[in-house]
Structure formats: structure tokens, C-alpha cells
Amino acid sequence: TAIAITEQPVSVSVPVGYSLVLRCRAQGSTSLQYQWFCQHQSDCRLIPGATNQDLPITAEQTQLYTCRVNDLHRNAVFSNWVKVEVHQCVARGLPPRLWQGEPVIVLNPSEQRVEVGQPLQLHCAAMGVPAPSYQWYRNGNLLEQHKRKKLWITHAKVSDSGTYLCCASNSHGEHWSHAVDVHIGGGEVILPPAEHLQLFNLVFVLATGKIALLVGNNRYQHHPNLLAPVRDVFELSHLLEHLGFQVVSLLD
């Protein structure tokens, strides 16, 4: 009869120094033997003496764990790999003194200002036993594709602007991150040097005067060209100058 694991260990997210127990249970036709392994980065090793169904751990660094179960017929199966995520820097007062494993946010996302087409990253992290799952929201609407602690949008669009927050949840409850504003915008409008200097002088030096901005558009993509926008701008410029306006004229 094949060995069947009846209780898999579960991933956890805990502060450094926290004590916990990973559990593995299995059934087979003969007596079973257990052996735990851990992996940190690329180094996988057997844990000496870890031959019980339960593995006590004092969390010191983030590691992966698995348990091998074998019977007297040399059959063997491995449990799922689970992650013990260790938070080295946790704010004072976290977790609460009577913490039962409910989610506790330890890293909130921060406000972002991103240019259109640039990557958008938001981060959230929570402690929890078992490890929390994550769900992001924008403007109160669930973002179906974003279920990790890190929200990543490769090429941000204006429509990605809004107020974001993340919900961390496990079997003990849920905890919400702070809500943060994300602004997605285009770059500055680059004017030709002469016009740029003209606008600079008007805005910063003559801000208390009368200013007229005239824009003559002639080349439309989805509209017939107008008859005389260039002439109109020229004539209006002279008229407004006679009325005491400082005039900025732009074409197309």
C-alpha cells in the first residue's frame, strides 16, 4: 500500500525568534519513519535529529522545509515544501502579546508617482500562522490578477491611477493595509526653446499682468483643415497686444 500524507505542513510568516512547530502526518501499511529537510537559498540539507512527525523551530531566517516519509519496504514520499518566512525588523508592539496567528501588517504600501509606460510596484507584507494570502484593491474594486504581496504592473497606464490597498487574510481573520494614492501621468510637455523661455518669463516675471495664450491648430488627424488659423492667431495677437496683453502664440 502506498504511503499517503494525511496532514501537510503549512507555511508561516513570523517575527525573528518566534517559536513554532511544523507538522506532518502520514499513513502506510507498515510503521513509518520521518526525516525533515531545510533549504536556504540553494543549500538543501538534512536536519540532524529531526525524525519526528513534529519539527520544533525557533525562527531565525527565512527557509523552506519538507518532510520525507518512508516505510519498511523502502517506499518514500515527500511532503509539500513550505516556507517559514522570518521578519527580521518588526515594529515595537508587533505581534500583539496574545497573538494567535491572525494576520498583522508589518509593511504598508507607499504612495507612488509613476510616468506612463513605466513600471508600478506596490509592496505589502504581513505576519500570520498560517502565512496570509494577499488580495489587492483599487478604488474599492478587487484586482483579480493581483494576489501576491508585491503588486507589479510592467507598463503603467493613466487608468492605473487610484487609491490602492491590500488585504492579508488567513484562517484566523484578515488585516487591511493603509490606503495609498497612485498617480500615473505623462511627462512634461516640451516646448521649443524660444517659446519655453517666453512662457517662463510670462509666468514667473509678469504673473500679475494680463496674459493671453493663443493656439492655432491647422493639422487635424480626423477633421478637415481649417481655413486660416495662422492668420487668425496673427491678427488676434496684435489686437490683444494693443489692449495691454502679453501674448504667447503657438501653432499646431
Side-chain angles (χ1 to χ4, degrees), residues 7 18 21 34 39 53 67 77 100 106 126 131 137 139 181 183-184 186 190 199 221 233 237 252:
E7 182 179 350
Y18 187 81
V21 175
Y34 294 78
Q39 178 176 328
Q53 295 173 318
C67 184
V77 296
Q100 299 297 313
V106 296
Y137 294 78
N139 298 332
D181 291 329
H183 308 274
I184 313 294
I190 306 300
L199 281 174
Q221 185 176 1
V233 167
S237 295
D252 291 319

Side-chain angles (χ1 to χ4, degrees), residues 11-83:
S11 296
V12 300
S13 182
V14 296
V16 64
Y18 187 81
S19 295
L20 63 127
V21 175
L22 295 181
R23 293 167 50 89
C24 181
R25 298 290 186 271
Q27 292 179 345
S29 60
T30 70
S31 61
L32 301 176
Q33 297 174 333
Y34 294 78
Q35 177 62 61
W36 288 87
F37 296 78
C38 68
Q39 178 176 328
H40 177 63
Q41 296 178 347
S42 60
D43 179 29
C44 182
R45 61 183 178 84
L46 175 151
I47 303 175
T51 57
N52 295 321
Q53 295 173 318
D54 294 341
L55 176 66
I57 296 173
T58 299
E60 298 296 340
Q61 61 182 353
T62 297
Q63 294 191 116
L64 301 176
Y65 293 85
T66 187
C67 184
R68 183 188 66 201
V69 185
N70 62 274
D71 61 17
L72 300 181
H73 302 301
R74 297 185 180 178
N75 298 313
V77 296
F78 282 84
S79 73
N80 297 338
W81 282 95
V82 295
K83 185 177 187 178

Side-chain angles (χ1 to χ4, degrees), residues 52 81 84 106 124 131 165 168 176 184 225 245 251:
N52 295 321
W81 282 95
V84 175
V106 296
C124 179
L165 75 167
W176 293 78
I184 313 294
N225 289 346
F245 284 81
L251 299 176

Side-chain angles (χ1 to χ4, degrees), residues 174-231:
E174 62 184 26
H175 197 170
W176 293 78
S177 74
H178 297 162
V180 296
D181 291 329
V182 171
H183 308 274
I184 313 294
E188 285 186 75
V189 176
I190 306 300
L191 298 175
E195 293 166 350
H196 191 180
L197 180 62
Q198 188 179 15
L199 281 174
F200 179 88
N201 289 335
L202 288 174
V203 171
F204 291 98
V205 179
L206 303 173
T208 58
K210 296 186 293 183
I211 302 172
L213 172 63
L214 301 180
V215 181
N217 286 329
N218 186 47
R219 299 174 185 173
Y220 287 90
Q221 185 176 1
H222 302 294
H223 190 283
N225 289 346
L226 300 181
L227 295 179
V230 175
R231 185 186 66 193

Side-chain angles (χ1 to χ4, degrees), residues 137-143 159-165 180-182:
Y137 294 78
R138 181 181 69 239
N139 298 332
N141 298 313
L142 183 146
L143 298 174
S159 59
D160 293 320
S161 298
T163 300
Y164 286 74
L165 75 167
V180 296
D181 291 329
V182 171

Side-chain angles (χ1 to χ4, degrees), residues 70-186:
N70 62 274
D71 61 17
L72 300 181
H73 302 301
R74 297 185 180 178
N75 298 313
V77 296
F78 282 84
S79 73
N80 297 338
W81 282 95
V82 295
K83 185 177 187 178
V84 175
E85 181 181 35
V86 179
H87 297 276
Q88 299 289 342
C89 298
V90 175
R92 181 179 300 175
L94 295 177
R97 184 175 300 175
L98 300 178
W99 189 48
Q100 299 297 313
E102 65 275 12
V104 176
I105 300 290
V106 296
L107 176 64
N108 280 284
S110 57
E111 181 176 339
Q112 301 287 320
R113 292 181 178 272
V114 178
E115 297 295 332
V116 171
Q118 295 300 307
L120 168 63
Q121 296 183 65
L122 294 172
H123 300 267
C124 179
M127 298 185 301
V129 180
S133 58
Y134 296 86
Q135 178 61 64
W136 287 88
Y137 294 78
R138 181 181 69 239
N139 298 332
N141 298 313
L142 183 146
L143 298 174
E144 186 64 38
Q145 304 302 317
H146 297 285
K147 297 178 180 292
R148 299 176 179 271
K149 66 174 64 175
K150 182 185 295 185
L151 180 147
W152 171 268
I153 297 175
T154 306
H155 303 291
K157 307 182 295 295
V158 173
S159 59
D160 293 320
S161 298
T163 300
Y164 286 74
L165 75 167
C166 184
C167 179
S169 62
N170 65 12
S171 56
H172 297 292
E174 62 184 26
H175 197 170
W176 293 78
S177 74
H178 297 162
V180 296
D181 291 329
V182 171
H183 308 274
I184 313 294

